[in-house]
Amino acid sequence: MAAIALTALILDALIGWPAAWFRRVGHPVTWAGRLIAALDRGLNRGAARRAKGAMTVVLVLAAAVVPAALLQAWLGPWVAAVLAWPLVAARSLDQHLRAVLVPLRAGDIAGARAATAMIVGRDLRRADAAALSRASLESLAENASDGIIAPLFWAAVGGLPGIAAYKAINTMDSMIGHRTPRHADFGMVAARLDDAANLIPARLTAGLIALASGRRAAWTVAWRDAGAHRSPNAGWPEGAMAGALGIRLSGPRVYGDRVAEEPWLNAGAPDPGPADLARGIALIRRAVALAGLGLLALALI
């Protein structure tokens, strides 16, 4: 199974998911998104919304896992590795963050705001270079876990069905796992399942960041501050990133007309800047390379 994960990572690093392919056929995550959206429209109404949400989770997981298991059984592990490739997002994450870094380094705040808005949901209309760097680094750290390490972990555990299940769970959480009047009950099972699926990968990502940085502060900050984060998992990679770079992350942020008073990770450290964003991108590349080496060792064993 580790060979499936490693092959998927290598293919993603070399090719990614070309934009022309996305325009022509979409992407497995967008296919799952259409199913989730249809079930949300059809089931998220009336009474028993929590039960209907649980039914949605079962249906989406079945739609992802059953074909994946059959394809792996029929076609073998190497074809399974190729099919797992689109479900790893290392190249895409790197491209999105470099799209923020280039205008930020050039002093183009408007361009940096537009690029950052592609990866975070907060209000950036008044964000300066420090706020944009902070938001981008948080997204980089969290998505290194959700988009790279967690899919690789579940591919190594369960092959193509494992990574397909994880991406289905993660997509459901991003679409219906919100604490809003519409989704608080309907998306509760999806949100809790996503928390469970990311429990090990988030801490593994923090460890890889700490190891890649060579700084004890990375793990120290993650261990000390992760519990204060609003997410049970995101605080681990974000805390490790803050400690590794010697900057502070999280803290207050604006969503529409509401200010969310989030606690700081690595409070007392300075705000990040464009140079720190560049260091963070390089750090995640090293952490992913270490993950690849770990998968290689497991595959050889």
Side-chain angles (χ1 to χ4, degrees):
M1 297 300 185
I4 291 176
L6 178 61
T7 304
L9 175 61
I10 292 171
L11 288 172
D12 175 70
L14 293 175
I15 304 170
W17 190 251
W21 296 7
F22 184 84
R23 289 192 296 268
R24 185 177 295 271
V25 300
H27 185 275
V29 170
T30 65
W31 306 340
R34 293 192 192 103
L35 174 59
I36 296 163
L39 291 169
D40 186 17
R41 290 192 300 270
L43 296 177
N44 191 6
R45 62 180 70 180
R49 292 197 185 196
R50 188 169 299 180
K52 292 174 182 176
M55 183 189 305
T56 295
V57 169
V58 171
L59 292 173
V60 173
L61 279 175
V65 173
V66 172
L70 292 174
L71 287 168
Q72 182 167 304
W74 290 342
L75 302 177
W78 294 111
V79 175
V82 174
L83 295 175
W85 146 44
L87 303 179
V88 181
R91 187 181 182 93
S92 172
L93 180 61
D94 190 81
Q95 289 172 338
H96 278 96
L97 269 296
R98 284 190 285 113
V100 176
L101 179 61
V102 170
L104 202 56
R105 274 178 161 169
D108 178 9
I109 296 299
R113 284 173 180 159
T116 308
M118 300 295 292
I119 56 175
V120 302
R122 67 192 68 172
D123 189 338
L124 300 171
R125 287 174 294 180
R126 295 184 295 276
D128 58 9
L132 293 170
S133 298
R134 178 158 54 97
S136 297
L137 281 166
E138 290 165 14
S139 179
L140 173 62
E142 183 174 2
N143 284 292
S145 179
D146 291 359
I148 307 172
I149 303 304
L152 293 175
F153 174 83
W154 288 108
V157 169
L160 183 60
I163 192 173
Y166 174 76
K167 293 302 290 187
I169 291 167
N170 192 243
T171 305
M172 283 189 283
D173 179 65
S174 67
M175 294 183 66
I176 63 174
H178 307 294
R179 293 177 182 176
T180 61
R182 176 171 176 80
H183 290 119
D185 285 331
F186 186 77
M188 190 198 72
V189 173
R192 298 292 77 77
L193 190 57
D194 184 73
D195 289 342
N198 282 295
L199 189 70
I200 296 173
R203 289 148 182 81
L204 179 59
T205 304
L208 288 167
I209 290 172
L211 189 61
S213 71
R215 295 196 63 192
R216 183 181 297 178
W219 185 254
T220 300
V221 173
W223 183 268
R224 184 191 67 209
D225 294 350
H229 198 281
R230 68 189 183 283
S231 164
N233 294 314
W236 285 90
E238 289 184 27
M241 179 70 79
L245 300 181
I247 48 91
R248 64 179 184 173
L249 292 175
S250 196
R253 74 277 310 274
V254 179
Y255 295 99
D257 58 355
R258 180 177 63 88
V259 176
E261 295 290 346
E262 303 290 345
W264 291 102
L265 300 174
N266 205 22
D271 282 322
D276 297 305
L277 179 55
R279 291 167 59 214
I281 293 171
L283 176 57
I284 291 301
R285 289 175 182 168
R286 295 196 300 273
V288 172
L290 287 174
L293 289 174
L295 290 170
L296 177 59
L298 288 172
L300 292 175
I301 292 170

